[in-house]
Amino acid sequence: MLDIRIETTTTPKELPKADNPLKFGTIFTDHMFVMNYETGKGWHDARIVPYQPISLEPSAMVFHYGQEMFEGLKAYKAEDGRVLLFRPDKNIERANKTNRRICIPEIPDEDFLQALKAIVKMDEAWIPTKQGTSLYIRPFIIATDPFLGVRPADTYLFIIILSPVGAYYPEGLNPVKIWIEDEYVRAVKGGIGEAKTGGNYVASLKSQVKAHEEGYSQVLWLDGVERKYIEEVGAMNIFFKINGTIVTPKLNGSILPGVTRDSVINLCKTWGLPVEERRVSIDEIYEAHKSGTLEEVFGTGTAAVISPVGQLRWEDHIMKVKDGGIGEYSQKFYDTITGIQLGRLEDKFNWTVEVK
Amino acid sequence: MLDIRIETTTTPKELPKADNPLKFGTIFTDHMFVMNYETGKGWHDARIVPYQPISLEPSAMVFHYGQEMFEGLKAYKAEDGRVLLFRPDKNIERANKTNRRICIPEIPDEDFLQALKAIVKMDEAWIPTKQGTSLYIRPFIIATDPFLGVRPADTYLFIIILSPVGAYYPEGLNPVKIWIEDEYVRAVKGGIGEAKTGGNYVASLKSQVKAHEEGYSQVLWLDGVERKYIEEVGAMNIFFKINGTIVTPKLNGSILPGVTRDSVINLCKTWGLPVEERRVSIDEIYEAHKSGTLEEVFGTGTAAVISPVGQLRWEDHIMKVKDGGIGEYSQKFYDTITGIQLGRLEDKFNWTVEVK
């Protein structure tokens, strides 16, 4: 149990107006959670303080060797006024898995959850209520030793910031166009692909820029070894509906284990919808599209929840899916997951955690 | 040509004493070079200011998505009093190659060199002169937009800090023991392995910790696809002398193109010593060791210049090289390169650049 010291801001900011479109990740609340780590002392000095800049030595290891991790989850204001987190246990589990992979000291699960609840409670007034909005929660850890040698750091900052957000894609639940990358690689087995750390994201930028220039909003990655198996989208996991079966790439060490991905798989099983986690080659998708059995494609992620995919481009092949529209199951998964998140639908899985 | 504004410190620090062993990367000089970038304005506000902390928003992109690059080079005080940089053009060329790979705006070569010279000149008094010491120069760029979406940033800081250093390995030109990693992967073709960016270093930490626990100081990486070809050491490139020929892995897209690596290859050519850049499998090294033709192994890098390797461990095989001692060529490359760096030997290649 953390002993969280609280310092309330003396200069509260104005809350965003209800008609503010809330561009993703640009507005931050009045407070942040901070906790320090030092070898020998462990995690200590848990506190909620006014949202403020971080001051670090120029030699701080995070600026040089990328020892940084993050998570992303959301808090919702239910219609009955309750504040709900969606599956925070999964984010905490993944956070500590990332920590182990990149040699950051773990945070006890119960302390992590306590911190999440405390900061959300503190800035509860910032949770937006308009359709499609939520309070995005960004926990992250950075290595702060002022030292230029390469080794795991001895000092860290764990910080949680909050951002009221609208839809991740300005177009809302509108189909996105996806570029299948065949030159660059995001991650490979044995690397850091299944960890939520900056190195995976920086590796994706160049492809993303290329895709944007061609009018595509996201990149779909192929595996780095055989360059033929589908991995993930970087900001999302990917699902296909092929001939009545929901198919998604199996977690293989280079794919991020998404929380929304896991939720969709669970829903399929409950609904009696056939679902397969397995290797999926780009050739299989190409052939399924050609034969007319590629019925739906959608991405899953915390930011956008479900993103229907209306078009895939692989080399010179342009594959339209659902005539560029929204698939029946994309809509159903979106409605069900957001329904549970907002407390509108019964939460049979106990996925939501109330912040009291 | 940059217009560099200079703000001199009013509280100069005490210079390290001549007998200070100068642990690598822990002491920093009185000033730093800083320049800002903003989309639309380009690189601007070049300045030398007192060495000081950096203040960033918690949402600064560098903390989340790893968009950061760095370089490392050294300044030496020659016996005749000249201040020499070693091949800064190669570092600048590589820096801009890294920038292109991870979507950071390039810095014009001549501005980069001017900045290096200006900051070294400013803190020239900090260049140590004892045998084996130098002034380590660390240019780096970080993405600073306060924004949680994944895309290349619109704002950056370019900073150069300086650190008087002794030998990178406390043991000096003493043979190191190297662990050949067969579980984790540093980088793969199509990824960011040839860029000098944090993501490659964070990926290496877990193996490094494992190697240290087993008494090995560094990790030698195999390729991420076939898991059999030798890549690099993370902080160094690797060379083998096999049956009279110097052999090093060919640059393949996942290996960092080292400046010292290039210098060694050039020296081989001048000396008429056979040198090959090609694929080198771990099996070849194992067989060469068994047959007695593995004559020397050494690493090359800016920090340590040359690191003789006295022992390699691959799976359960422990391969002693040169009976754990220093090879003739390891010593010769070290003496020649440091001799040129310190202005003691004739610089036939025009590798050194004087700071006036």
Side-chain angles (χ1 to χ4, degrees), chain B residues 58-242:
Chain B
S59 56
M61 292 176 82
V62 66
F63 294 137
H64 304 268
Y65 306 123
Q67 204 189 5
E68 60 186 45
M69 66 77 69
F70 71 93
E71 269 299 330
L73 69 165
K74 286 176 171 176
Y76 301 85
K77 181 74 76 118
E79 281 165 16
D80 60 11
R82 288 179 304 148
V83 174
L84 301 176
L85 302 179
F86 185 70
R87 310 191 74 185
D89 52 310
K90 296 294 282 182
N91 293 92
I92 294 168
E93 178 192 334
R94 187 173 63 184
N96 277 326
K97 198 172 165 195
T98 296
N99 286 341
R100 287 190 293 275
R101 178 63 184 88
I102 63 171
C103 303
I104 291 177
E106 291 181 51
I107 294 175
D109 290 5
E110 59 280 13
D111 292 351
F112 202 129
L113 183 61
Q114 186 193 346
L116 288 173
K117 286 180 171 176
I119 185 64
V120 169
K121 187 73 199 165
M122 185 79 186
D123 282 344
E124 180 181 345
W126 286 80
I127 307 176
T129 52
K130 205 176 139 191
Q131 170 76 20
T133 65
S134 57
L135 187 69
Y136 183 79
I137 306 170
R138 169 57 60 92
F140 65 104
I141 303 175
I142 54 177
T144 57
D145 297 19
F147 176 53
L148 293 185
V150 179
R151 61 153 171 74
D154 282 319
T155 60
Y156 299 87
L157 281 173
F158 172 46
I159 297 174
I160 306 174
I161 57 177
L162 306 174
S163 175
V165 297
Y168 186 79
Y169 297 107
E171 59 267 42
L173 190 65
N174 274 337
V176 293
K177 290 163 70 182
I178 300 249
W179 174 282
I180 299 171
E181 175 61 59
D182 58 3
E183 180 184 1
Y184 296 108
V185 171
R186 174 185 170 275
V188 70
K189 187 164 189 289
I192 53 175
E194 64 183 346
K196 213 159 169 68
T197 180
N200 295 321
Y201 295 83
V202 72
S204 76
L205 295 177
K206 202 171 168 81
S207 300
Q208 196 190 88
V209 168
K210 186 173 69 173
H212 281 188
E213 284 168 0
E214 301 280 345
Y216 289 75
S217 65
Q218 293 276 308
V219 171
L220 181 59
W221 299 96
L222 301 180
D223 79 282
V225 175
E226 299 185 59
R227 303 287 190 107
K228 61 186 273 199
Y229 294 103
I230 287 170
E231 299 242 315
E232 58 151 279
V233 179
M236 307 192 293
N237 293 110
I238 190 88
F239 284 78
F240 305 92
K241 182 158 169 275
I242 303 173

Side-chain angles (χ1 to χ4, degrees), chain A residues 24-25 52-56 58 62 64-66 68 100 138 140 147-148 150 184-185 189-190 198 206 208 227, chain B residues 24-25 52-56 58 62 64-66 68 100 138 140 147-148 150 185 189-190 198 206 208 227:
Chain A
F24 185 88
Q52 61 191 278
I54 305 170
S55 177
L56 293 174
V62 66
H64 305 268
Y65 306 123
E68 61 186 43
R100 288 191 293 274
R138 169 56 59 93
F140 65 104
F147 175 55
L148 293 185
V150 179
Y184 296 107
V185 172
K189 187 164 189 286
K206 202 172 169 81
Q208 196 190 90
R227 303 287 189 108
Chain B
F24 185 88
Q52 62 192 278
I54 306 169
S55 178
L56 293 175
V62 66
H64 304 268
Y65 306 123
E68 60 186 45
R100 287 190 293 275
R138 169 57 60 92
F140 65 104
F147 176 53
L148 293 185
V150 179
V185 171
K189 187 164 189 289
K206 202 171 168 81
Q208 196 190 88
R227 303 287 190 107

Side-chain angles (χ1 to χ4, degrees), chain A residues 173 239-241 244-246 264 267-268 271-274 295-298 306 308 322 326-337:
Chain A
L173 190 65
F239 284 78
F240 304 92
K241 181 157 168 276
T245 296
I246 303 289
V264 164
L267 287 175
C268 289
W271 295 347
L273 186 63
E295 296 156 352
E296 284 190 43
V297 181
F298 58 92
I306 301 289
K322 276 272 164 195
I326 299 173
E328 173 195 357
Y329 279 96
S330 303
Q331 188 70 55
K332 196 172 163 189
F333 285 120
Y334 181 81
D335 292 342
T336 306
I337 294 173

Side-chain angles (χ1 to χ4, degrees), chain A residues 3-254:
Chain A
D3 181 18
I4 305 176
R5 171 166 63 84
I6 294 182
E7 182 192 334
T8 307
T9 184
T10 54
T11 53
K13 294 178 265 194
E14 203 178 333
L15 296 179
K17 302 234 180 324
D19 61 353
N20 186 316
L22 295 172
K23 189 164 168 281
F24 185 88
T26 52
I27 296 173
F28 299 92
T29 66
D30 277 329
H31 299 91
M32 62 197 221
F33 175 89
V34 184
M35 184 161 67
N36 290 69
Y37 180 90
E38 196 182 315
T39 297
K41 275 179 93 167
W43 288 108
H44 63 279
D45 197 13
R47 57 206 186 267
I48 287 174
V49 294
Y51 188 86
Q52 61 191 278
I54 305 170
S55 177
L56 293 174
E57 292 293 307
S59 57
M61 293 176 81
V62 66
F63 294 137
H64 305 268
Y65 306 123
Q67 204 189 6
E68 61 186 43
M69 65 78 67
F70 71 93
E71 269 298 330
L73 68 165
K74 285 177 171 175
Y76 300 85
K77 181 76 75 117
E79 281 165 15
D80 60 11
R82 289 178 304 149
V83 174
L84 301 176
L85 302 179
F86 185 70
R87 308 190 75 185
D89 52 310
K90 296 293 283 182
N91 293 92
I92 293 169
E93 178 192 334
R94 186 172 65 185
N96 277 326
K97 198 173 166 194
T98 296
N99 286 340
R100 288 191 293 274
R101 178 63 184 86
I102 64 171
C103 303
I104 291 177
E106 291 180 50
I107 294 175
D109 290 5
E110 59 279 14
D111 292 351
F112 203 128
L113 184 60
Q114 186 193 347
L116 288 174
K117 286 180 171 177
I119 185 65
V120 169
K121 188 71 198 164
M122 185 79 186
D123 282 345
E124 180 181 345
W126 286 80
I127 307 176
T129 52
K130 205 177 140 193
Q131 170 76 17
T133 65
S134 57
L135 186 69
Y136 183 78
I137 307 171
R138 169 56 59 93
F140 65 104
I141 303 176
I142 54 177
T144 57
D145 298 19
F147 175 55
L148 293 185
V150 179
R151 60 152 172 74
D154 282 319
T155 58
Y156 298 87
L157 281 173
F158 171 48
I159 297 174
I160 306 174
I161 56 178
L162 306 174
S163 176
V165 297
Y168 186 79
Y169 298 108
E171 60 268 40
L173 190 65
N174 275 336
V176 295
K177 290 163 69 182
I178 300 245
W179 174 283
I180 299 172
E181 175 61 60
D182 58 3
E183 180 184 2
Y184 296 107
V185 172
R186 173 184 171 273
V188 70
K189 187 164 189 286
I192 52 175
E194 63 183 348
K196 213 159 170 66
T197 180
N200 295 321
Y201 296 83
V202 72
S204 76
L205 295 177
K206 202 172 169 81
S207 299
Q208 196 190 90
V209 168
K210 187 174 67 174
H212 281 189
E213 284 168 1
E214 300 282 343
Y216 288 75
S217 66
Q218 294 275 307
V219 171
L220 180 61
W221 299 97
L222 300 180
D223 78 283
V225 175
E226 299 184 59
R227 303 287 189 108
K228 61 185 274 199
Y229 294 103
I230 287 171
E231 300 241 316
E232 56 151 277
V233 179
M236 306 192 292
N237 293 109
I238 191 87
F239 284 78
F240 304 92
K241 181 157 168 276
I242 304 173
N243 209 8
T245 296
I246 303 289
V247 178
T248 193
K250 188 185 166 112
L251 300 179
N252 62 356
S254 53

